[in-house]
Amino acid sequence: MYVQFFGLHRLPFRLRPDREFTFPVPEFAHGVAALTAGFRGPLRIGWVSGPAGVGKTLLLEQVLDAVGGAFCVCRINQPLMSTAELLKTLCLQLGGGGTPEPDPGGMLAALERHPRPALVSIDDAHLLAAHPMRTMLELVRRLPSLHVLLAGRDDQAGRLAVEAEAEAGRRSAVTRATVHLAPLTPPLVAEYVRHRLTAAGGGERSLFADDAMRCVVQLGAGVPRLINVLADGALHAASLRASQQVAAADVLAAAQAPSWTAALARQRAKPEAVSAAEPGGEAGRGASLLVTHRGRSVGVWPLEAGRITIGRALENDVHLDSDVVSRNHCQVITEGDESTIEDLGSVNGLIVNGHAAKRHLMRDGDRIRVGDFLLLYKVG
């Protein structure tokens, strides 16, 4: 592993948000400070916007760490859910895990009776469909003790959330604030790479030659997530050459690796909110994974052509936060009308319909156990 070769203490370019590697960009620090001060005061709605991979999740987590002690916090990290599922999630997390009321009206009434100030954090908020988004913001209008912190992309779904948030603000005069994160400028990219290498124990050495850094600037487009994938692969390529400095050829080699192809595909993807589960809505005709955790709905993932990864690490397409789920637990490959789930060397494996499996061609109604999560495969 290149960590030992370059004399580093740990991996410098992991994809998982890590506050010890936080790069002090003024916009990021200002955003954390503004939202922290806001939620300690009258702020009711906070919105963190920006393209994929620029650090929205890390900013959100730092704000929650700063103010979480003053609130009963509800975290929603996979918001592909219907209005009923949203309300159920809120009741379960804010109500101490008790059984929620069976109907939306009863759940709304239960939330109105909640005694403590509550802060609902919704990451990837652009995936929340229009109706549950409006319901969430209507709750903010109705419940003075409820606050919401949203983080999402600058795409069409993200704009829908901003418009709904603005409408809620106009109707109820709630206090709101918006923080925008943009890709790094070319000079900041070099500083970002050096910052992470120093934090990982690299000292003041220039591990990237000038031509290599120019390649990182050009290919990474200022997006920290892409820069991390590229720099990680380039360091690995340099270590294989037994070179103590990364050259442009190493960066180009990293740009040919499957990890870079997958990162680019994820960056360019246009995720859309799913509303098929809304009352009166028409269900989609394709296949999807319905994910639950101990009976609680986590989200719905439509399966389109290609590959999605599932695991505990945040870089996975489906993030399952549990100690009994491996970092990269499994993957689903969809080709045409067929989806196959494959174990990726996980510790606890896959349990498909009660039986251990390494690879399984899924059929409608299959129940796949991944750690303490249940994945239900549905067609139509």
Side-chain angles (χ1 to χ4, degrees):
M1 184 180 289
Y2 71 75
V3 170
Q4 288 79 17
F5 179 80
F6 287 106
L8 304 174
H9 301 322
R10 49 186 171 166
L11 285 168
F13 296 104
R14 290 177 60 184
L15 296 182
R16 183 174 182 175
D18 188 337
R19 65 169 52 236
E20 294 184 20
F21 285 96
T22 300
F23 182 55
V25 179
E27 291 78 8
F28 187 96
H30 171 74
V32 172
L35 292 175
T36 298
F39 283 119
R40 287 172 175 166
L43 185 63
R44 300 291 305 287
I45 300 173
W47 172 258
V48 182
S49 69
V54 294
K56 299 185 299 296
T57 297
L58 180 59
L59 191 153
L60 184 150
E61 289 297 327
Q62 291 200 13
V63 173
L64 290 179
D65 286 347
V67 304
F71 297 94
C72 180
V73 175
C74 172
R75 296 173 182 261
I76 299 176
N77 295 325
Q78 291 100 9
L80 283 167
M81 56 179 60
S82 67
T83 300
E85 290 169 331
L86 171 66
L87 293 173
K88 182 178 180 182
T89 299
L90 295 175
C91 286
L92 285 170
Q93 293 199 37
L94 300 179
T99 303
E101 297 290 336
D103 63 280
M107 286 187 279
L108 278 170
L111 288 171
E112 288 179 330
R113 295 192 300 268
H114 190 265
R116 289 186 57 198
L119 175 59
V120 179
S121 162
I122 305 179
D123 201 2
D124 284 334
H126 53 272
L127 296 178
L128 198 60
H131 191 272
M133 174 64 77
R134 293 190 182 99
T135 298
M136 182 72 254
L137 298 169
E138 176 68 12
L139 284 173
V140 175
R141 186 184 69 82
R142 291 173 56 176
L143 307 179
S145 62
L146 185 63
H147 306 69
V148 61
L149 175 58
L150 306 162
R153 296 190 190 181
D154 292 331
D155 55 14
Q156 183 176 1
R159 286 194 295 274
L160 170 64
V162 172
E163 291 166 4
E165 173 260 319
E167 175 63 22
R170 285 192 294 270
R171 291 167 53 198
S172 58
V174 299
T175 307
R176 60 191 188 278
T178 300
V179 172
H180 179 76
L181 296 180
L184 301 174
T185 61
L188 284 177
V189 171
E191 292 185 27
Y192 172 82
V193 171
R194 286 193 291 268
H195 171 82
R196 294 192 71 107
L197 287 169
T198 300
E204 299 300 321
R205 291 177 293 162
S206 297
L207 294 184
F208 280 73
D210 290 343
D211 60 347
M213 189 60 70
R214 285 193 292 270
C215 287
V216 173
V217 169
Q218 180 180 3
L219 294 173
V223 177
R225 180 189 294 161
L226 294 181
I227 295 168
N228 286 1
V229 173
L230 204 58
D232 181 79
L235 286 165
H236 177 70
S239 69
L240 292 178
R241 295 191 302 109
S243 172
Q244 286 292 326
Q245 190 174 56
V246 175
D250 299 314
V251 180
L252 295 176
Q256 302 299 316
S259 58
W260 175 250
T261 303
L264 273 184
R266 182 179 181 186
Q267 188 71 21
R268 294 167 179 168
K270 295 293 184 182
E272 297 180 355
V274 175
S275 57
E278 293 301 325
E282 182 180 355
R285 298 181 183 277
S288 57
L289 285 177
L290 284 67
V291 182
T292 59
H293 182 249
R294 299 176 180 173
R296 179 176 63 86
S297 174
V298 173
V300 181
W301 275 263
L303 297 178
E304 300 179 351
R307 168 180 177 264
I308 65 170
T309 58
I310 302 171
R312 189 178 75 251
L314 286 174
E315 60 262 28
N316 287 286
D317 300 296
V318 181
H319 169 227
L320 305 181
D321 189 9
S322 171
D323 291 339
V324 293
V325 175
S326 295
R327 286 185 52 80
N328 301 106
H329 200 106
C330 59
Q331 65 181 9
V332 175
I333 306 294
T334 300
E335 298 177 346
D337 294 331
E338 295 185 339
S339 294
T340 302
I341 190 166
E342 300 176 348
D343 182 67
L344 294 176
S346 64
V347 174
N348 294 315
L350 295 175
I351 306 297
V352 180
N353 299 325
H355 301 282
K358 289 292 185 182
R359 186 174 187 273
H360 175 73
L361 178 63
M362 293 188 287
R363 294 288 181 259
D364 187 29
D366 279 348
R367 300 168 66 86
I368 301 101
R369 181 69 63 179
V370 177
D372 49 1
F373 287 80
L374 179 65
L375 281 56
L376 177 64
Y377 179 73
K378 295 293 291 181
V379 178

